[in-house]
């Protein structure tokens, strides 16, 4: 990153925090999340789009949709004009590597100097191309660290797929790429919380992000039981924390513990934490919908309605920011997918502007 970019981003970060304190947006987003494909090569039981437990399956026409490369270039060029974007996340309602243009898209982002993260199960990824393009981070959805749990979580996969995942992780580790593991916890993976730490250590993962599964539309059937919840709180989380400390593995167990403590199907005590995504982040779907956060429930625009860079400062976005600052959350906010980020940003607000400002900006 050039010194000029470093200074520009430093100023944007200050403006972002100052904007939250003032209750208005003063600069563009730091991170933009772009969905590249709706289709997926797996059928995770917890997934709201591909799970075999869904009461109503997504139509095949929806699953075939992918982000067009020309449209991606247009969006990337627009984002570059904002002089605030530091990072791009390439993901999807399915897996981004379903899109055959993903490597061209990664190269485009790298040409702009953006930090590139892919959210993926990794099974379709070409490790040599990943390394050649110097992808900055992969958040690899592991979800089970034994063949039995891996196949229970991904019913269409086999022991051969689990072995392939291990080979990919080993290749990245050998190349010095310390990618992150994501472990979604449901009835089939809850008992492996401690083993997940050993798994991360074996493949030299940078960290583990534990996430209590956000469930709905039929996927509630694979939720943890109350017995599992109690065991997680009393036994497995403390044991995993102890082992992680011993092995030097970074985790988010404090946040995960709060998720488990929330109870029921909720996974985030959002009213205690607040939402700051409207200053930092946006998501764009394959269809061009612009989302306030990772939830499809909170739509604030569409690429067909004009430039992203203009809509970011527009009425729909500002109305949503104001609503959330007032503590008026959406139904899905109790399963916030950006819980870790909101906790970190909230702490920055408290450190910089004090507890009173933090409480005011979270409707308290």
């Amino acid at each position: 990153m050039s010194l000029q970019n470093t200074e520009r981003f430093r100023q944007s970060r200050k403006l972002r925090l100052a904007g939250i304190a003032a209750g208005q947006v003063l600069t563009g987003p730091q991170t933009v999340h772009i969905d590249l494909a709706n289709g997926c090569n797996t059928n995770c039981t917890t997934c709201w789009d591909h799970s075999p437990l869904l009461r109503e399956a997504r139509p095949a026409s929806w699953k075939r949709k992918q982000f067009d490369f020309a449209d991606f270039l247009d969006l990337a060029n627009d984002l570059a004009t904002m002089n605030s974007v530091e990072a791009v996340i390439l993901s999807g309602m399915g897996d981004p590597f379903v899109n055959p243009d993903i490597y061209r898209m990664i190269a485009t982002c790298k040409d702009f100097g953006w930090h590139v993260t892919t959210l993926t199960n990794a099974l379709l990824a070409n490790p040599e191309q990943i390394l050649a393009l110097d992808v900055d981070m992969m958040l690899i959805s592991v979800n089970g660290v034994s063949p039995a749990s891996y196949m229970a979580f991904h019913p269409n996969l086999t022991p051969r797929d689990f072995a392939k995942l291990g080979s990919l992780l080993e290749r990245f580790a050998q190349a010095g790429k310390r990618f992150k593991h994501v472990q979604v916890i449901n009835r089939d993976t809850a008992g492996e919380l401690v083993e997940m730490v050993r798994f991360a250590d074996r493949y030299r993962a940078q960290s583990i992000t534990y996430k209590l599964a956000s469930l709905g539309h039929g996927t509630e059937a694979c939720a943890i039981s109350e017995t599992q919840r109690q065991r997680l709180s009393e036994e497995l989380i403390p044991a995993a924390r102890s082992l992680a400390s011993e092995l030097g593995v970074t985790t988010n167990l404090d946040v995960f513990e709060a998720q488990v403590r929330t109870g029921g199907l909720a996974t985030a005590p959002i009213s205690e934490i607040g939402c700051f995504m409207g200053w930092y982040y946006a998501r764009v779907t394959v269809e061009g919908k612009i989302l306030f956060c990772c939830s499809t429930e909170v739509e604030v625009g569409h690429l067909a309605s004009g430039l992203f860079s203009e809509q970011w400062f527009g009425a729909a976005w500002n109305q949503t920011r104001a609503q959330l600052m007032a503590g008026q959350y959406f139904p899905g906010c109790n399963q916030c997918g950006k819980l870790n980020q909101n906790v970190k940003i909230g702490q920055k607000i408290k450190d910089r502007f004090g507890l009173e400002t933090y409480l005011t900006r979270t409707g308290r």
Side-chain angles (χ1 to χ4, degrees):
M1 185 183 298
S2 69
L3 290 176
Q4 183 179 7
N5 281 347
T6 300
E7 180 57 30
R8 184 168 68 241
F9 292 152
R10 185 181 293 116
Q11 291 303 316
S12 283
R13 291 171 192 171
K14 289 180 180 178
L15 284 172
R16 218 167 271 118
L17 289 172
I20 295 174
Q24 57 183 309
V25 65
L26 301 176
T27 189
Q30 184 176 53
T31 301
V32 178
H33 180 152
I34 306 171
D35 286 356
L36 303 187
N38 286 344
C40 196
N41 57 311
T42 67
N43 62 344
C44 301
T45 54
T46 61
C47 181
W48 289 19
D49 298 305
H50 300 281
S51 172
L53 300 175
L54 290 171
R55 288 188 289 270
E56 185 175 345
R58 290 279 199 175
S61 58
W62 179 88
K63 293 183 179 182
R64 286 193 293 269
K65 291 181 179 179
Q66 299 178 2
F67 210 112
D68 179 75
F69 182 65
D71 292 337
F72 185 90
L73 281 178
D74 288 343
L75 175 60
N77 282 310
D78 180 40
L79 294 176
T81 68
M82 301 186 79
N83 292 318
S84 69
V85 176
E86 299 181 45
V88 171
I89 298 172
L90 302 179
S91 178
M93 300 298 180
D95 192 277
F97 287 91
V98 168
N99 190 319
D101 286 319
I102 185 171
Y103 298 107
R104 297 168 69 195
M105 293 168 170
I106 291 171
T108 297
C109 294
K110 296 292 288 187
D111 286 344
F112 279 113
W114 295 329
H115 183 284
V116 176
T117 296
T118 63
L119 273 61
T120 173
N121 58 61
L123 294 176
L124 296 179
N126 182 318
E128 303 314 317
Q129 287 187 269
I130 294 294
L131 296 174
L133 287 165
D134 193 25
V135 171
D136 299 280
M137 180 54 63
M138 293 181 78
L139 269 60
I140 300 174
S141 295
V142 180
N143 309 327
V145 293
S146 67
S149 64
Y150 192 73
M151 289 187 296
F153 196 98
H154 316 86
N156 69 323
L157 299 185
T158 68
R160 186 179 302 174
D161 295 302
F162 184 69
K164 180 179 181 180
L165 175 65
S167 297
L168 288 166
L169 297 178
E170 183 61 37
R171 177 69 184 98
F172 293 138
Q174 289 174 351
K177 284 290 190 181
R178 301 194 64 201
F179 293 147
K180 297 179 181 179
H181 293 181
V182 177
Q183 298 284 4
V184 177
I185 304 303
N186 75 337
R187 66 182 181 191
D188 301 308
T189 58
E192 295 185 338
L193 206 75
V194 179
E195 287 75 13
M196 290 170 179
V197 177
R198 297 190 193 281
F199 188 87
D201 180 61
R202 181 185 315 146
Y203 294 111
R204 299 188 284 283
Q206 181 172 313
S207 65
I208 310 170
T209 297
Y210 290 103
K211 300 178 74 171
L212 192 61
S214 298
L215 302 173
H217 312 291
T219 64
E220 301 92 336
C222 68
I224 61 171
S225 67
E226 288 308 307
T227 299
Q228 286 179 311
R229 188 185 300 275
Q230 183 175 356
R231 186 179 176 219
L232 283 166
S233 295
E234 297 177 0
E235 175 190 344
L236 296 179
I237 291 175
R241 183 180 285 119
S242 176
L243 182 62
S245 177
E246 176 187 333
L247 296 177
V249 174
T250 301
T251 74
N252 70 329
L253 279 166
D254 288 345
V255 173
F256 177 69
E257 187 173 34
Q259 287 188 311
V260 172
R261 191 170 57 243
T262 300
L265 291 175
T267 60
I270 193 65
S271 61
E272 300 173 17
I273 293 165
C275 176
F276 308 100
M277 288 300 99
W279 283 264
Y280 279 80
Y281 169 97
R283 183 174 185 177
V284 181
T285 71
V286 167
E287 296 84 1
K289 296 177 183 177
I290 302 174
L291 306 179
F292 186 85
C293 58
C294 59
S295 171
T296 56
E297 182 182 23
V298 193
E299 186 175 337
V300 288
H302 199 289
L303 294 181
S305 300
L307 294 173
F308 175 101
S309 57
E310 296 174 353
Q311 294 183 66
W312 171 261
F313 296 97
W317 226 311
N318 284 328
Q319 181 180 346
T320 304
R321 291 183 183 108
Q323 177 181 336
L324 294 171
M325 278 191 293
Q328 300 168 10
Y329 298 102
F330 294 87
C333 291
N334 67 359
Q335 293 185 328
C336 176
K338 292 296 178 185
L339 184 63
N340 288 318
Q341 293 89 330
N342 277 320
V343 169
K344 291 176 182 177
I345 296 166
Q347 188 59 54
K348 289 180 181 179
I349 296 298
K350 284 182 274 189
D351 292 343
R352 181 74 61 87
F353 299 103
L355 180 61
E356 184 177 349
T357 297
Y358 169 75
L359 293 175
T360 299
R361 292 295 166 251
T362 55
R364 289 176 286 173

